[in-house]
Amino acid sequence: MSFDPGLLHNNGHTAYANGTGSGIRETGVVEKLLTSYGFIQCSERQARLFFHCSQYNGALQDLKIGDDVEFEVSSDRRTGKPIAVKLLKIKPEVLPEERISGQVGPDLHAYPFTVLHGYIHPVVSSIPLHLDGKSAPGQMPTGSVCYERNGEVFYLTYTPDDVEGNVHLDTGDKVSFYMDTNKLTGAVSARNIQLVKKKQMRCQGVVCATKEAFGFIERADVVKEIFFHYSEFKGDLDALQVGDDVEFTIKDRNGKEVATDVRLLPQGTVVFEDIDYKLHEGTVVKVIPKIPTKNQNDPLPGRINVRIGFTEKELPFGEKDTRSKVTLLEGDHVQFNISTDRRDKLERATRIDILPDTFNFTKEAREMGVIAAIRDGFGFIKCVDRDARMFFHFSEVLEETQLHISDEVEFTVVPVGPVYNHFRKDMLSAQRNHAVRIKKLPKGTVSFHTQSEHRFVGVVEKEVVAVTSKNASPTKGKEKEAEEGVIAYEDCGVKLTLPYHAKDLEGGSHPQAGDKVEFSINEVKRTGQQSAVSIRVLNRNSSNAKRLHGFVATLKDNFGFIETANHDQEIFFHYSEVCGDVENLELGDTVEYTLSKGKGNKVSAEKVTKVAAVNGVGEDISASVMMGKVIRPLRSVDPSQTEYQGLIEVPEEGGTKGQTYPFGIMGMGNKADCLQKGELVKFQVCTVPQTGQKMACNVVPQRRAVVECVKDQFGFLTYEVGESKKLFFHVKEVQDGLELQAGDEVEFSVVLNQRTGKCSACNVRRVSEGPKPVVTPRPDRLVNRLKSITLDDASAPRLVILRQPRGPDNSKGFNVERKTRQPGVID
């Protein structure tokens, strides 16, 4: 009888239903034998079958109780019960009397089978136990052993009585045993089981390095690293990172220990050290070198001197033991915790923080500056005492403060590396220095200049050149900005001169040559260069041209016009004559200027300076509000007219012409509004103090128009402006976010684009809604014609080809003949 592992696996049961298949042979053991009949206990199933001695093929005297027999199952004709027929005695299998030994494991795939010293290596499953160590109730506790023979795998059961030495076996233990056959049931089991070697425990660690095809694990049981190949990692290799907790099994390969069967553990499972949360203070006596030497093998090269009780200790520390990446210096006063390694009980300093008073201990040279530029992860500092900007990295910022441009900071300057060229030491150190240990300072702490408390008096020798931006390129603007003014003064009887800049003037008034001024002296700390600041004009030079006041009336691309103080004329000026930034000028701003004559004896304004605002058109404004009509716009609206002033007429009853009132830019309620001829306005009347002239002021147009159309983000109003009968507006100018429709009545203001000369509507407000659009039905004649047209009608509209299509090769028409496709048929 050959050994069938499937039988052992099923504890002697087969898959046959009642054993009634014809011609199917079964095996069993003779249980009872009388003179002419007996009974057989089936080996493959729980059944007891009757047999008659006439069915035995052989000498009946050789048949005994306990003999193994093979038979077929039939049924008794009278009772219908199953009986055994065609009995044949079989010889018992002689099991090898050899001990089988090998490696123990939980399953066949976890540990590959190997042959050691010619023995078979089985895998054993331990006997299940409850948590209290007792066997499961109601059943005999059993375990199983699986082994391999000739490429086939077999399973054998065992009980606690089969284990020698009263040893409890665990899954994965190495054992040796004999095979035994139960003569009653024919089942094969393991007996005389001896423990060869307990299962090797799994080790834990943390991945400390990864390469292309292998890595290293720092072990949690000893201070040692162990190699592992990526083929031994059981999991997603792409997810494996340095710092991951893992477990593994140690094996010897070529005389070296390697980690196998590496598997991930939950983060935080592996703990190397115990940290004392009591804070200690100490002094750094040895720092970690920025560039490690070739002979440096100490993973904890740093040292901190600390006094604990009455004992002084020197604790090591490494790069990972500092809370931040700020550079440590010898003598630093630090705060830290003490960590004790569970493996070798080594103490070290960890979670190291620099204390704020450390600069009192190190005596290092601290410098100050302002953040000049910030990039991704680094920046540059404008130093108070150095010409070059100093590089710094964000990791060197103390207290994890967020830095911004113009923040004031304090720092220490150190060289990048310890190696210098002895012949060019100064040059290299200047190029390779950078800022470390950066501390943010309160605003106003850092000063690049010192300013004298004493005020000096002098005379302007040279005027400062104006800075323009609208009419000059950036290069020209920088050249003009570099040209500075000069002030002459006396100090202790010595005549001296100082430069000054337009930004250092006070009160918005630009001094001219010969003007007497008061100022302070500013000195740059780094260079010692002096200049005049906080300059204020005391007395104007009487020989200078008279300064006049006016109001900005028009601003073009590179020039503009000023309305005179009498509001009756306009004066041309070029942006190059503006003292200050032209971008700051707006319509209606009050300016101070000097008249001059240029080519063609034309008058223009020079040295235009923006000053504090003064009263508008005039005083004595009437309380009554009048209605009128614009009969002449400002010259900025209609450049073809000779007069600057606009004119408003108040109509009298009967439609006759009434009294007229002039107005200028300062009389407009909205300086940017563009009043057109014929528009109705509301205004008040005031008197100009200088001339006594009556003028219109607070002029507000009364405009109403109908929306002609709206197209996406813009639209047009039915309103005549100049030669155009339509007025453009943008939907952003519609107040309250309303959506206008064609036919809506609106109020609005008109503004003139000074550069393009085109007008547009702004501040559009809907007054009333227009009639809702009604869908116009199709004409009856068109409907009747469409109904009368048929496809067969020769007079029906046809598609006419105007141009034949061309293919990629410029050939006309289609080369492939078109065929009628039959549904469901594939060509």
Side-chain angles (χ1 to χ4, degrees):
M1 180 183 73
S2 62
F3 182 73
D4 187 354
L7 302 182
L8 293 177
H9 227 344
N10 296 316
N11 293 327
H13 298 288
T14 68
Y16 303 144
N18 298 323
T20 58
S22 62
I24 299 177
R25 306 286 290 177
E26 291 190 30
T27 60
V29 178
V30 177
E31 183 185 53
K32 187 176 182 179
L33 183 62
L34 299 178
T35 304
S36 60
Y37 66 93
F39 290 90
I40 299 173
Q41 179 67 43
C42 297
S43 299
E44 289 85 356
R45 56 195 174 98
Q46 293 292 335
R48 189 169 179 263
L49 301 179
F50 169 87
F51 75 92
H52 195 272
C53 290
S54 61
Q55 294 293 326
Y56 176 67
N57 185 12
L60 188 61
Q61 61 270 17
D62 295 334
L63 186 64
K64 298 178 181 179
I65 295 175
D67 285 348
D68 294 328
V69 293
E70 190 179 47
F71 56 91
E72 292 183 8
V73 179
S74 183
S75 59
D76 194 313
R77 295 180 180 178
R78 293 178 301 168
T79 63
K81 295 183 179 179
I83 61 174
V85 298
K86 299 181 182 180
L87 274 70
L88 180 66
K89 184 177 179 180
I90 57 178
K91 294 182 180 180
E93 181 182 18
V94 179
L95 298 177
E97 287 294 319
E98 61 176 354
R99 292 195 71 84
I100 301 174
S101 61
Q103 181 176 338
V104 177
D107 55 62
L108 295 178
H109 303 289
Y111 300 91
F113 289 100
T114 57
V115 177
L116 299 176
H117 309 294
Y119 291 96
I120 303 173
H121 294 264
V123 178
V124 174
S125 175
S126 63
I127 297 174
L129 295 177
H130 286 311
L131 296 177
D132 57 0
K134 299 179 181 180
S135 62
Q139 63 179 7
M140 183 66 176
T142 60
S144 64
V145 178
C146 65
Y147 66 97
E148 180 188 17
R149 173 178 288 177
N150 298 329
E152 295 185 63
V153 179
F154 304 97
Y155 290 83
L156 303 179
T157 60
Y158 75 95
T159 65
D161 296 336
D162 296 322
V163 182
E164 295 182 355
N166 195 22
V167 177
H168 175 72
L169 297 179
D170 294 318
T171 301
D173 289 343
K174 288 185 178 181
V175 296
S176 65
F177 59 90
Y178 290 106
M179 289 193 296
D180 187 30
T181 302
N182 188 324
K183 291 187 176 182
L184 181 63
T185 63
V188 181
S189 61
R191 63 177 175 85
N192 301 110
I193 300 174
Q194 295 179 353
L195 177 65
V196 177
K197 185 178 180 181
K198 293 293 290 183
K199 173 187 175 182
Q200 186 175 10
M201 298 299 295
R202 298 277 285 170
C203 297
Q204 294 182 344
V206 175
V207 178
C208 59
T210 54
K211 305 297 181 181
E212 287 188 6
F214 60 91
F216 292 91
I217 301 171
E218 185 177 358
R219 294 172 57 176
D221 53 343
V222 294
V223 183
K224 189 177 181 181
E225 293 181 2
I226 187 169
F227 168 91
F228 76 97
H229 195 271
Y230 287 164
S231 60
E232 294 291 343
F233 179 71
K234 310 301 181 184
D236 185 5
L237 190 60
D238 294 333
L240 185 65
Q241 297 179 353
V242 173
D244 284 345
D245 294 350
V246 293
E247 66 172 359
F248 54 91
T249 302
I250 299 176
K251 286 189 178 181
D252 290 333
R253 290 182 181 171
N254 299 327
K256 294 184 180 180
E257 289 185 338
V258 297
T260 61
D261 191 22
V262 182
R263 299 175 186 269
L264 278 177
L265 291 174
Q267 202 67 22
T269 304
V270 181
V271 179
F272 290 107
E273 58 197 9
D274 297 314
I275 298 177
D276 180 9
Y277 287 93
K278 181 181 178 181
L279 290 174
H280 300 270
E281 293 185 6
T283 304
V284 177
V285 295
K286 183 181 178 182
V287 298
I288 302 173
K290 291 289 185 182
I291 302 179
T293 59
K294 294 182 180 180
N295 299 326
Q296 180 182 329
N297 297 320
D298 189 1
L300 305 172
R303 296 292 183 271
I304 293 178
N305 194 8
V306 59
R307 187 177 185 86
I308 302 176
F310 298 99
T311 307
E312 285 194 3
K313 287 186 177 181
E314 194 173 271
L315 299 176
F317 68 91
E319 291 184 359
K320 298 180 180 179
D321 291 318
T322 56
R323 284 186 181 272
S324 66
K325 299 298 181 181
V326 176
T327 302
L328 284 178
L329 299 179
E330 292 184 5
D332 266 337
H333 189 205
V334 293
Q335 181 177 266
F336 58 92
N337 300 104
I338 295 179
S339 170
T340 304
D341 198 309
R342 292 182 176 182
R343 299 167 293 182
D344 58 1
K345 306 304 179 184
L346 175 68
E347 291 184 338
R348 78 174 197 277
T350 188
R351 300 180 179 178
I352 302 170
D353 275 326
I354 299 176
L355 292 173
D357 62 348
T358 187
F359 304 115
N360 300 329
F361 292 83
T362 58
K363 305 297 182 182
E364 61 194 281
R366 301 285 285 173
E367 299 186 19
M368 291 191 292
V370 174
I371 303 297
I374 289 179
R375 301 289 186 268
D376 186 13
F378 63 93
F380 294 91
I381 300 173
K382 180 182 178 183
C383 305
V384 173
D385 301 322
R386 298 173 184 260
D387 292 331
R389 295 196 305 176
M390 193 65 60
F391 171 87
F392 75 93
H393 198 275
F394 285 174
S395 61
E396 291 290 346
V397 181
L398 291 168
E399 302 173 358
E400 298 183 357
T401 307
Q402 186 71 28
L403 293 182
H404 303 88
I405 293 178
S406 77
D407 280 348
E408 300 175 11
V409 292
E410 182 185 58
F411 56 92
T412 301
V413 177
V414 296
V416 173
V419 181
Y420 291 90
N421 187 319
H422 294 287
F423 299 99
R424 300 183 300 167
K425 181 175 180 180
D426 294 338
M427 184 179 70
L428 282 180
S429 62
Q431 292 177 347
R432 297 175 61 85
N433 286 347
H434 64 188
V436 298
R437 302 157 67 88
I438 300 167
K439 179 181 178 182
K440 188 176 180 180
L441 299 175
K443 284 289 185 181
T445 306
V446 178
S447 175
F448 291 86
H449 313 85
T450 56
Q451 186 170 325
S452 64
E453 297 181 359
H454 178 69
R455 298 283 288 176
F456 296 85
V457 177
V459 177
V460 176
E461 281 192 354
K462 179 184 176 183
E463 298 178 28
V464 69
V465 176
V467 180
T468 60
S469 59
K470 286 190 176 181
N471 63 323
S473 65
T475 305
K476 294 180 181 179
K478 290 180 181 178
E479 290 176 357
K480 290 193 175 183
E481 188 177 3
E483 297 182 22
E484 51 196 18
V486 178
I487 297 175
Y489 71 103
E490 287 189 6
D491 187 15
C492 299
V494 180
K495 290 185 177 181
L496 302 171
T497 58
L498 280 177
Y500 76 95
H501 301 87
K503 63 183 179 64
D504 297 318
L505 300 174
E506 289 185 351
S509 179
H510 283 247
Q512 301 179 38
D515 287 349
K516 189 176 182 181
V517 293
E518 184 184 44
F519 60 93
S520 299
I521 296 178
N522 179 71
E523 182 176 339
V524 180
K525 289 183 179 180
R526 186 178 69 254
T527 61
Q529 183 180 0
Q530 293 182 339
S531 62
V533 296
S534 304
I535 304 167
R536 188 172 72 248
V537 178
L538 296 179
N539 295 314
R540 291 287 186 182
N541 185 7
S542 59
S543 61
N544 287 340
K546 184 180 179 180
R547 300 286 286 175
L548 303 175
H549 281 84
F551 311 94
V552 177
T554 306
L555 292 172
K556 298 292 186 179
D557 282 342
N558 53 11
F559 65 93
F561 290 91
I562 298 173
E563 183 182 281
T564 61
N566 294 336
H567 311 287
D568 56 353
Q569 293 182 358
E570 60 179 356
I571 306 296
F572 170 88
F573 72 98
H574 195 273
Y575 287 166
S576 60
E577 295 294 339
V578 177
C579 299
D581 192 354
V582 180
E583 299 290 347
N584 295 330
L585 282 183
E586 295 180 0
L587 293 177
D589 283 348
T590 305
V591 293
E592 190 180 57
Y593 62 96
T594 303
L595 289 177
S596 67
K597 291 185 178 181
K599 294 181 179 180
N601 210 25
K602 292 183 178 180
V603 177
S604 63
E606 291 183 345
K607 301 174 184 177
V608 180
T609 307
K610 183 178 177 180
V611 296
V614 297
N615 293 334
V617 179
E619 301 174 352
D620 190 19
I621 301 176
S622 65
S624 60
V625 178
M626 306 178 69
M627 296 292 296
K629 181 180 180 181
V630 178
I631 60 175
R632 186 178 69 204
L634 290 174
R635 192 166 182 264
S636 58
V637 177
D638 184 8
S640 62
Q641 68 186 33
T642 57
E643 298 85 356
Y644 162 69
Q645 288 180 321
L647 204 59
I648 299 174
E649 181 185 57
V650 179
E652 294 183 355
E653 295 182 1
T656 59
K657 292 184 179 180
Q659 190 174 358
T660 58
Y661 296 94
F663 69 94
I665 189 67
M666 297 306 294
M668 299 287 295
N670 180 9
K671 305 296 187 294
D673 210 341
C674 180
L675 284 180
Q676 300 291 324
K677 182 179 179 180
E679 287 191 308
L680 297 178
V681 294
K682 291 192 300 185
F683 66 96
Q684 294 172 286
V685 177
C686 65
T687 304
V688 180
Q690 298 88 336
T691 62
Q693 183 184 18
K694 298 288 185 180
M695 293 189 67
C697 64
N698 300 328
V699 180
V700 178
Q702 301 297 299
R703 298 190 181 99
R704 286 199 178 190
V706 176
V707 178
E708 182 180 85
C709 62
V710 178
K711 300 179 181 179
D712 194 17
Q713 296 297 315
F714 62 93
F716 292 93
L717 304 179
T718 307
Y719 189 81
E720 186 174 349
V721 179
E723 297 180 357
S724 176
K725 294 185 179 181
K726 296 180 182 180
L727 184 62
F728 171 89
F729 73 93
H730 198 278
V731 294
K732 291 182 179 179
E733 295 292 342
V734 181
Q735 296 183 358
D736 302 326
L738 297 177
E739 185 175 345
L740 296 181
Q741 302 290 338
D744 290 348
E745 188 178 11
V746 294
E747 289 183 349
F748 54 93
S749 299
V750 178
V751 293
L752 174 65
N753 188 319
Q754 300 283 355
R755 295 189 177 182
T756 62
K758 294 182 179 181
C759 294
S760 62
C762 67
N763 301 327
V764 181
R765 184 175 65 87
R766 186 169 66 185
V767 177
S768 62
E769 295 187 29
K772 298 296 182 181
V774 179
V775 179
T776 306
R778 288 181 174 180
D780 293 338
R781 58 181 180 82
L782 178 59
V783 174
N784 294 332
R785 184 185 177 192
L786 291 174
K787 289 181 178 179
S788 63
I789 293 177
T790 61
L791 295 177
D792 298 331
D793 192 349
S795 62
R798 298 294 180 183
L799 178 65
V800 179
I801 298 177
L802 300 179
R803 180 179 61 84
Q804 288 287 347
R806 293 181 180 272
D809 56 352
N810 207 26
S811 60
K812 293 184 179 180
F814 297 95
N815 295 328
V816 180
E817 182 181 356
R818 303 187 69 177
K819 299 179 180 179
T820 304
R821 180 180 176 276
Q822 297 296 328
V825 179
I826 301 176
D827 295 337

